[in-house]
Amino acid sequence: SNLSSSTSITMRCFLPNRLRVLTSPCIATLASPRALCVITPATPNDKGAEAISIEPPKKEPHSHGNDSGIRFVYEPPRRFVLGVLRKRRQSPPTSSKIRVDLLIEGNPLGTSTTHLDSLLPQLRSDAAEALQRVLQLKTRPEAEAAWKMPRVACLSLVLCDDPHIRSLNSLHRGKDAPTDVLSFELDDELVHRVHLPVKLMGDLVVSLDTAERQARERGHSLHDECRILLVHGLLHLVGWDHEAGREAHRAMAAAEGEVLAGLGWRGAGLIAAAGEEEEGEEEEKEEAGKGGQAEE
């Protein structure tokens, strides 16, 4: 209804803080010219209520034309808004935010012509890409002991020399010799049931000295060899183990090939390369045995 300049209206509102004054068009509009909305304290007889008085203000000397009044809209309860936002945040993630911490132990590539500074950013980026692929592979429903995709995955990547990885290999595996890659996983049973906000993957230790030697023997670059070692170590961190039996050996070899092919990296995997080397050694032994028999 139209309100005259001398009209004063009092309304009751049990939740006056739900009304917010806006300057943009909205649901409700007061028809009074430049009406003023004033909130006054509730009377003792009102339980939990406050009085809202709408009174006409004094006319301004430089006012021109008819005004459409103050517009206001009902604000939905904050609990409802937070509930909607919480549902959006808790939707199952399809990928994970990867964080890689890079550490250097010992003096890797100390006698090599390869510059370590140019290799470090590449390996950090490669580790993040490979971990994303490995997590997608592990979170497939058909995967054995499948995971729920974590929202954030944190990896500690350690690049070291042969003496450092030899000490770790002797301490944790009882083998007093350098190796190419070691994985130290942080097992968490919850990752099989819920989408963890943060998943600590563990430590991945790569010996650049051994990687350079193996790359020279296998006929590819140090960077390609490090990528193969990263994929192998990351598969160990999420639960694959090629030493658990023949089926597990085949499954991990297939996973290595799938991840490397999906990333467009060279090589068929560390397990496949080791198998080819073993077959070559066996063939050499057989040929040597046949040669000895022929001489006899």
Side-chain angles (χ1 to χ4, degrees):
S1 63
N2 295 328
L3 303 177
S4 62
S5 60
S6 60
T7 304
S8 178
I9 299 177
T10 300
M11 296 185 299
R12 297 294 178 185
C13 179
F14 286 91
L15 295 173
N17 59 335
R18 299 300 185 197
L19 296 179
R20 175 176 293 178
V21 177
L22 303 176
T23 57
S24 59
C26 57
I27 298 174
T29 303
L30 295 178
S32 173
R34 298 186 63 81
L36 179 65
C37 181
V38 181
I39 299 178
T40 59
T43 60
N45 296 330
D46 296 327
K47 297 181 179 180
E50 294 185 4
I52 301 179
S53 300
I54 303 178
E55 302 175 356
K58 297 180 180 179
K59 293 184 178 181
E60 297 178 1
H62 299 289
S63 177
H64 300 283
N66 295 329
D67 225 338
S68 60
I70 296 179
R71 297 176 173 88
F72 63 91
V73 65
Y74 177 75
E75 180 184 1
R78 189 177 180 186
R79 182 175 57 186
F80 172 77
V81 176
L82 292 179
V84 173
L85 294 178
R86 192 176 295 113
K87 287 182 180 179
R88 290 180 181 177
R89 291 173 187 165
Q90 291 179 351
S91 58
T94 57
S95 62
S96 181
K97 294 182 179 179
I98 308 298
R99 297 178 182 176
V100 180
D101 294 329
L102 189 60
L103 303 175
I104 305 295
E105 292 289 350
N107 186 25
L109 303 178
T111 60
S112 174
T113 57
T114 304
H115 295 288
L116 185 61
D117 295 338
S118 62
L119 191 62
L120 295 182
Q122 296 176 356
L123 293 183
R124 183 195 292 268
S125 176
D126 291 342
E129 293 181 15
L131 180 55
Q132 190 72 259
R133 284 278 181 172
V134 169
L135 287 176
Q136 291 175 355
L137 194 63
K138 187 63 177 178
T139 53
R140 291 177 180 175
E142 64 272 13
E144 184 178 356
W147 283 16
K148 299 288 187 180
M149 179 70 74
R151 300 185 182 277
V152 179
C154 300
L155 172 68
S156 175
L157 177 61
V158 182
L159 304 177
C160 65
D161 55 6
D162 275 350
H164 181 76
I165 204 168
R166 178 179 180 177
S167 62
L168 294 177
N169 201 24
S170 175
L171 179 62
H172 297 281
R173 301 179 66 210
K175 298 181 179 181
D176 190 14
T179 186
D180 45 14
V181 59
L182 290 175
S183 301
F184 300 93
E185 61 178 313
L186 292 176
D187 194 15
D188 193 344
E189 292 297 331
L190 289 177
V191 77
H192 301 286
R193 294 181 288 174
V194 298
H195 300 276
L196 293 178
V198 178
K199 175 66 176 79
L200 301 179
M201 301 301 302
D203 298 334
L204 183 60
V205 185
V206 177
S207 173
L208 295 181
D209 295 344
T210 303
E212 185 182 37
R213 185 168 58 254
Q214 292 180 169
R216 190 164 50 247
E217 294 172 354
R218 293 167 182 170
H220 50 242
S221 65
L222 173 60
H223 190 199
D224 291 334
E225 182 66 20
C226 288
R227 283 175 164 178
I228 293 173
L229 297 180
L230 285 176
V231 172
H232 183 84
L234 290 172
L235 288 174
H236 274 302
L237 288 181
V238 298
W240 267 280
D241 186 5
H242 57 91
E243 298 178 352
R246 184 172 299 178
E247 292 297 329
H249 187 276
R250 293 175 181 173
M252 186 169 178
E256 280 186 352
E258 183 176 351
V259 173
L260 289 169
L263 293 171
W265 294 351
R266 292 183 57 187
L270 186 61
I271 297 176
E276 292 176 359
E277 292 176 357
E278 291 178 359
E279 290 177 0
E281 292 177 358
E282 291 178 358
E283 290 177 358
E284 291 178 0
K285 290 180 180 179
E286 290 179 0
E287 291 179 358
K290 291 179 180 180
Q293 292 176 2
E295 290 178 359
E296 291 178 0

